[in-house]
Amino acid sequence: MNMTHEVTNQPRPLVDHDLYAGNRPLRDALAFHLPGADEAPRHALGQLLGSAAMQGHARLANVHPPRLRTHDRFGHRIDEVEFHPSYHALMAAAVGAGLHGTPWARGPGAHVERAAAFMLFTELEPSILCPVSMSYAVTPALRANAALAADWFPKLASTAYDPRLVSFADKPGVTMGMGMTEKQGGSDVRANTTRAEFAEATPWGDCYRLTGHKWFFSAPMCDAFLVLAQAAGGLSCFFLPRVLPDGSRNALQIQRLKDKLGNHANASSEVEFHGALAWRVGDEGRGVAQILEMGTLTRLDCALGTAGLMRQALSLALNHCAQRHAFGKLLLAQPLMKNVLADLAIESEAATALALRLARAVDRQDDPHEAALRRVLTPVAKFWICKRGAAFAQEAMECLGGNGYVEEHGEGTMARIYREMPLNSIWEGAGNIMALDLLRALRGGGRAGTVVDALRAELDTARGAHPACDSFVDALPQRIDELADEPSARRLAQHLALALQAVLLHAHATPAVFEAFCRARLGGAEGLVFGTLPAGIDFDHLIDRALPVQGQA
């Protein structure tokens, strides 16, 4: 064949590199929160997740999505979802890294270390982390049923992955999901209609029969689920296994899989319960309290996940611009492109800082200051980081031009990131839910040691570091106290997020990063799009700090 052209000026893929080694913002934040912690496990995980083999699994798990098999060839109802082998390879890696229930079996710092690993894994493939995140969130909820916790917790904390649909007693490790929302209610779970009727007392406590449906039931091949249903005493939380203790399958039928914008490797389904057996977790009528605690943890993962996606989108943009020439020089050397990339770098580091700070609050649950701060950090971090994600991905994609819009562009495709970005903003409570949660958290204060006091103490740690930061924080107490105006709740969430990010960047970023953030986000010069940083900011420092592979610039 005659050659019609020679391929030139196309960047080498970002592959076979240590994701953790190249992420200086994450490493610096961890050094602040966990000084002296062993970094070897994170480097090993970073090398695994940055490998060509794992990137290949991420691609295959998405291009070969799950398939529902409702019946076997003989006509028996089986309700099974088939996954590509690459999905199981990714799940085995995530469970092996202890991203699910494992931190609850470890000591101080385990949740911060898990948060860092979760962000790194998100750079590779986020959608398989849905069952991993749910397993993490439901693990402590099982404590409300001591018998269930005694049997299931050791296997939820295990780092062994076993995808077989068999009794938990025959498996070295298990995963769990959640089933809360229904067609008619969505986030308003009090509108749920699924019925729970008492059946009998058992060694696992009171057993009920559930009849009803769930509109979003992700990862339906998990070993068990925590679900909400209406019992005689009101909306209650129940433990529903896929396989019953006697080895038979529970009466759970998968109606169909959702055809989603993104999150393709993960199966999200609609299900019906036809007298399915479930065991009560906690008291009747306490279902909302149970789900709120679980939601706090999954919202942490929404913030962590979006921060990880931001980091990967930035890494792909930087990798492209460090190799691609246009108009006589590298894109990375073009002044206006520098502004865009530096602005994205600021946003990515600020997101990492805020998400990891929330993880520290989860880790230190016995500390009154951290417990109070967690109540406000959760909605603020989930709201702001996830809201910024979609615009961030669009700008990063634009750095690659048409190549960024093509699904086949590399194993860590920018298009896949872009389709994934809106999910975390919607899942576990969209923006309005987060803003209202923030108001509830702040209105519950008023005395020493409350949420407002903890928040003000946190913001005061950067007092005197920068005039723009001081002015911005000084304006917050009035807005915090005047909470009658519900339509302003989103603006309050935004301002608190920016103030907290500034404080955190002062604590563990470089002075140049802190200076740039204060001028670009707090100083009145904030632009409506990325790439509008004011003059005088050290673009080169911001870009060099963010490069995924050192020496690219």
Side-chain angles (χ1 to χ4, degrees):
M1 295 180 62
N2 293 325
M3 295 295 294
T4 60
H5 67 283
E6 180 183 358
V7 177
T8 62
N9 198 27
Q10 289 287 347
R12 296 179 299 280
L14 183 59
V15 65
D16 287 329
H17 70 114
D18 182 346
L19 294 182
Y20 182 65
N23 195 336
R24 281 185 287 184
L26 177 59
R27 285 168 27 220
D28 287 353
L30 278 170
F32 175 77
H33 294 299
L34 292 176
D38 182 12
E39 292 194 301
R42 284 184 289 279
H43 280 293
L45 182 63
Q47 290 169 358
L48 174 67
L49 301 181
S51 68
M54 292 303 288
Q55 288 187 11
H57 284 312
R59 180 180 66 84
L60 290 170
N62 278 275
V63 299
H64 299 287
R67 295 180 58 194
L68 173 62
R69 295 180 61 228
T70 56
H71 297 77
D72 67 12
R73 64 193 180 101
F74 301 108
H76 301 121
R77 186 98 196 193
I78 58 174
D79 296 285
E80 293 183 5
V81 179
E82 289 183 338
F83 296 92
H84 189 274
S86 286
Y87 170 90
H88 295 300
L90 293 165
M91 282 293 295
V95 171
L99 304 187
H100 56 319
T102 308
W104 302 106
R106 295 181 176 172
H111 295 276
V112 178
E113 291 181 325
R114 181 257 180 192
F118 192 93
M119 282 193 278
L120 290 174
F121 208 106
T122 303
E123 293 190 49
L124 170 69
E125 161 49 37
S127 57
I128 68 101
L129 292 176
C130 178
V132 172
S133 177
M134 291 190 294
S135 298
Y136 173 69
V138 304
T139 299
L142 285 183
R143 295 168 185 161
N145 182 319
L148 279 172
D151 283 350
W152 283 75
F153 174 70
K155 298 192 178 187
L156 280 164
S158 167
T159 54
Y161 172 65
D162 184 345
R164 295 176 300 154
L165 193 57
V166 297
S167 171
F168 85 101
D170 298 324
K171 302 182 69 167
V174 297
T175 58
M176 282 189 63
M178 298 158 58
M180 307 300 172
T181 59
E182 298 181 5
K183 298 183 185 74
Q184 71 284 346
S187 296
D188 183 10
V189 295
R190 294 183 186 276
N192 282 10
T193 60
T194 296
R195 304 187 314 277
E197 298 174 339
F198 177 78
E200 60 178 331
T202 76
W204 281 353
D206 289 346
C207 181
Y208 293 68
R209 291 194 177 275
L210 270 54
T211 303
H213 79 281
K214 295 299 170 186
W215 185 233
F216 279 96
F217 200 78
S218 284
M221 292 299 286
C222 285
D223 295 285
F225 303 85
L226 288 186
V227 302
L228 293 178
Q230 299 285 0
L235 191 65
S236 307
C237 182
F238 295 91
F239 173 90
L240 188 151
R242 281 285 262 129
V243 178
L244 296 170
D246 64 4
S248 64
R249 298 196 178 184
N250 210 348
L252 179 156
Q253 294 186 355
I254 304 174
Q255 303 306 104
R256 61 176 175 172
L257 300 185
K258 299 286 192 182
D259 185 5
K260 299 169 291 184
L261 170 67
N263 203 247
H264 287 168
N266 175 49
S268 298
S269 66
E270 300 167 20
V271 301
E272 289 185 354
F273 307 136
H274 295 272
L277 294 178
W279 283 259
R280 180 162 48 81
V281 177
D283 296 331
E284 280 195 1
R286 294 286 297 165
V288 173
Q290 293 280 85
I291 191 178
L292 287 176
E293 180 59 26
M294 291 182 285
T296 297
L297 295 167
T298 49
R299 287 164 182 174
L300 162 66
D301 283 358
C302 288
L304 294 170
T306 301
L309 286 172
M310 284 182 173
R311 171 62 194 178
Q312 179 64 359
L314 174 61
S315 295
L316 292 173
L318 288 167
N319 182 69
H320 178 87
C321 293
Q323 300 178 67
R324 177 84 167 181
H325 285 81
F327 309 109
K329 53 186 174 182
L330 284 172
L331 283 173
L332 199 60
Q334 300 284 0
L336 193 51
M337 182 59 83
K338 279 188 176 184
N339 195 318
V340 172
L341 293 171
D343 208 354
L344 292 173
I346 294 172
E347 191 70 28
S348 176
E349 180 154 3
T352 294
L354 184 55
L356 206 62
R357 180 64 184 87
L358 173 56
R360 183 178 123 185
V362 171
D363 193 77
R364 302 182 181 182
Q365 298 176 68
D366 296 331
D367 183 323
H369 171 79
E370 297 291 331
L373 195 61
R374 177 187 176 191
R375 292 182 59 200
V376 69
L377 278 174
T378 299
V380 165
K382 204 276 191 185
F383 171 85
W384 184 243
I385 295 172
C386 296
K387 283 295 178 192
R388 298 290 279 174
F392 188 102
Q394 186 274 329
E395 195 67 60
M397 179 185 289
E398 195 169 309
C399 294
L400 277 64
N403 283 342
Y405 198 65
V406 176
E407 292 277 358
E408 297 173 336
H409 185 67
E411 303 291 5
T413 168
M414 189 74 81
R416 194 165 77 227
I417 293 173
Y418 183 74
R419 286 188 286 100
E420 190 73 19
M421 274 297 193
L423 175 61
N424 283 332
S425 188
I426 298 169
W427 190 44
E428 298 302 339
N432 285 351
I433 298 295
M434 293 302 98
L436 293 173
D437 277 359
L438 171 62
L439 292 189
R440 279 190 287 270
L442 294 173
R443 284 170 173 161
R447 301 181 303 277
T450 62
V451 171
V452 173
D453 296 318
L455 178 59
R456 287 175 173 156
E458 188 80 5
L459 294 174
D460 281 344
T461 59
R463 177 67 60 185
H466 195 284
C469 185
D470 286 348
S471 297
F472 197 84
V473 170
D474 285 342
L476 282 173
Q478 183 176 3
R479 286 198 290 269
I480 291 173
D481 293 338
E482 295 176 355
L483 297 174
D485 186 10
E486 186 174 294
S488 298
R490 281 184 173 226
R491 180 178 293 274
L492 177 62
Q494 172 183 323
H495 287 176
L496 284 176
L498 291 171
L500 287 163
Q501 286 178 328
V503 167
L504 291 165
L505 292 179
H506 173 256
H508 52 69
T510 64
V513 172
F514 176 62
E515 170 73 18
F517 185 88
C518 289
R519 292 187 59 200
R521 303 293 192 265
L522 310 181
E526 53 269 31
L528 297 179
V529 296
F530 290 106
T532 55
L533 295 178
I537 286 178
D538 190 347
F539 296 158
D540 289 333
H541 173 81
L542 298 173
I543 291 170
D544 288 345
R545 178 172 171 80
L547 286 171
V549 178
Q550 293 308 300
Q552 281 185 309

